[in-house]
């Protein structure tokens, strides 16, 4: 997980705050995470398959390829390139910052590798929980991926091969909360 910030002044990129290690989710959290991704990508009015133009090693697809091949130790450092690409692509000061989650896995009956990238907004809220003999209300800051928070962008890069190589063909599916029929061409610029 990385944090990408809103630009403050002119063309200057605010460097991301990088996560230094893998986040391991428990079964309940992983199930919720999977449901958010599935719900977003199945919202067909907000999801499209993109044509991939850049495939060299320094591109986002090149980074996806390196992530699939990375060890758990190397994954966080390699995923920094996704945060850098997003921070660089957000040219307008009007684009909000957010959490950038980079994850991998396998999909389909033949278990093809994929890499996902989510930009999610953060918000504050309250939580009620039992503590000792009473119920406690806590104020929480910087929460994300709740059912009420927006996913701004979600990209899923799926390998056409089970064993990824330099020549592997990739498919890219993008969910964008701002997509309209008129803006479909522009919707995923920040991921390309």
């Amino acid at each position: 997980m990385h944090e990408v910030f809103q630009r403050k002044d002119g063309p200057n990129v605010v460097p991301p705050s990088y996560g230094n290690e893998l986040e391991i989710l428990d079964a309940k959290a992983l199930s919720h995470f999977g449901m958010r991704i599935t719900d977003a990508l199945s919202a067909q009015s907000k999801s499209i398959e993109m044509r991939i133009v850049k495939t060299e090693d320094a591109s986002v697809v090149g980074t996806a390829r390196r992530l699939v091949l990375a060890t758990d130790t190397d994954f966080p450092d390699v995923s920094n390139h996704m945060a850098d690409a997003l921070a660089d692509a957000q040219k307008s000061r009007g684009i909000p910052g957010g959490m950038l989650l980079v994850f991998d896995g396998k999909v389909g009956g033949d278990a093809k590798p994929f890499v996902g990238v989510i930009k999610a907004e953060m918000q504050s809220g309250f939580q009620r929980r039992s503590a000792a003999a009473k119920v406690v209300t806590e104020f929480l800051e910087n929460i994300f991926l709740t059912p009420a928070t927006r996913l701004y962008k979600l990209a899923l890069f799926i390998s056409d091969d089970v064993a990824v190589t330099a020549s592997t063909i990739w498919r890219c599916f993008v969910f964008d909360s701002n997509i309209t029929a008129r803006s479909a061409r522009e919707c995923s610029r920040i991921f390309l």
Side-chain angles (χ1 to χ4, degrees):
M1 290 189 203
H2 311 290
E3 187 171 358
V4 178
F5 303 98
Q6 186 173 19
R7 288 197 184 196
K8 296 186 187 319
D9 301 313
N12 300 326
V13 174
V14 178
S17 174
Y18 303 116
N20 295 323
E21 56 189 49
L22 290 179
E23 301 277 341
I24 307 300
L25 302 179
D26 65 27
K28 187 174 181 180
L30 193 57
S31 175
H32 176 77
F33 183 71
M35 287 188 320
R36 286 299 311 266
I37 293 165
T38 302
D39 288 348
L41 288 173
S42 63
Q44 293 191 4
S45 64
K46 301 285 185 183
S47 298
I48 59 173
E49 183 172 359
M50 299 301 295
R51 181 174 58 96
I52 297 172
V53 177
K54 297 179 182 178
T55 59
E56 66 276 2
D57 204 44
S59 70
V60 173
V61 170
T63 301
R65 181 174 39 250
R66 289 193 318 276
L67 286 167
V68 165
L69 299 173
T71 64
D72 286 354
T73 304
D74 294 335
F75 193 96
D77 286 337
V78 175
S79 72
N80 290 350
H81 296 283
M82 292 292 192
D84 291 337
L86 178 59
D88 184 56
Q90 292 187 155
K91 303 291 185 198
S92 168
R93 287 183 297 176
I95 299 174
M99 292 304 297
L100 184 71
L101 291 77
V102 182
F103 56 99
D104 68 344
K106 307 238 185 244
V107 66
D110 49 359
K112 291 182 178 176
F114 74 84
V115 170
V117 183
I118 296 174
K119 179 185 174 193
E121 76 174 4
M122 292 187 291
Q123 59 184 206
S124 301
F126 291 90
Q127 169 182 282
R128 302 253 314 149
R129 65 177 178 84
S130 296
K134 67 179 197 171
V135 175
V136 176
T137 300
E138 296 176 309
F139 179 69
L140 304 173
E141 292 185 272
N142 300 323
I143 59 176
F144 55 96
L145 291 183
T146 68
T149 58
R150 281 180 33 190
L151 293 178
Y152 284 114
K153 310 280 185 210
L154 166 70
L156 200 61
F157 298 91
I158 302 173
S159 165
D160 269 357
D161 300 321
V162 173
V164 172
T165 67
S167 61
T168 293
I169 303 295
W170 293 82
R171 297 177 71 195
C172 178
F173 299 89
V174 172
F175 165 86
D176 188 318
S177 65
N178 298 316
I179 194 173
T180 64
R182 292 173 56 198
S183 67
R185 268 189 3 197
E186 302 295 321
C187 78
S188 62
R189 179 177 299 216
I190 66 170
F191 285 118
L192 303 179

